[in-house]
């Protein structure tokens, strides 16, 4: 798994969007990347087959909840 890439991505988003909580849960059993992003009024559960897809989902959420 790409845990170091997920850690770097989480840190980047946390620094850029301090009012959004980001957690990732890599699933070794099915090679999926899962996570959750939470803002003050909304949250999003992430599920992707690739880190690129995960980034796309996350960036969409962050653009909509820019604080």
């Amino acid at each position: 798994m790409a845990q170091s890439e997920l850690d770097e991505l989480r840190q980047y988003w946390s620094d850029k969007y301090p009012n959004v909580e980001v957690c990732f849960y890599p699933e070794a059993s099915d090679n999926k990347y899962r996570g959750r992003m939470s803002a003050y009024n909304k949250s999003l559960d992430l599920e992707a087959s690739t880190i690129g897809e995960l980034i796309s989902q996350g960036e969409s959420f962050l653009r909509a909840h820019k604080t």
Side-chain angles (χ1 to χ4, degrees), residues 28-40:
S29 62
D30 63 359
N31 293 324
K32 293 278 186 178
Y33 299 96
R34 292 186 173 85
R36 183 173 188 85
M37 300 181 89
S38 300
Y40 65 94

Side-chain angles (χ1 to χ4, degrees), residues 21-33:
E21 183 179 338
V22 180
C23 298
F24 292 122
Y25 310 100
E27 293 288 331
S29 62
D30 63 359
N31 293 324
K32 293 278 186 178
Y33 299 96

Side-chain angles (χ1 to χ4, degrees), residues 12-22 59 62-63 65-67:
Y12 173 76
W13 279 342
S14 295
D15 291 345
K16 190 171 180 182
Y17 303 94
N19 296 326
V20 175
E21 183 179 338
V22 180
E59 286 291 334
L62 293 169
R63 280 192 299 274
H65 294 82
K66 200 170 196 177
T67 56

Side-chain angles (χ1 to χ4, degrees), residues 1-2 4 9 11-12 21 28 34 52 54 59 61:
M1 270 299 148
S4 62
L9 181 59
Q11 187 62 50
Y12 173 76
E21 183 179 338
R34 292 186 173 85
L54 189 78
E59 286 291 334
F61 178 84

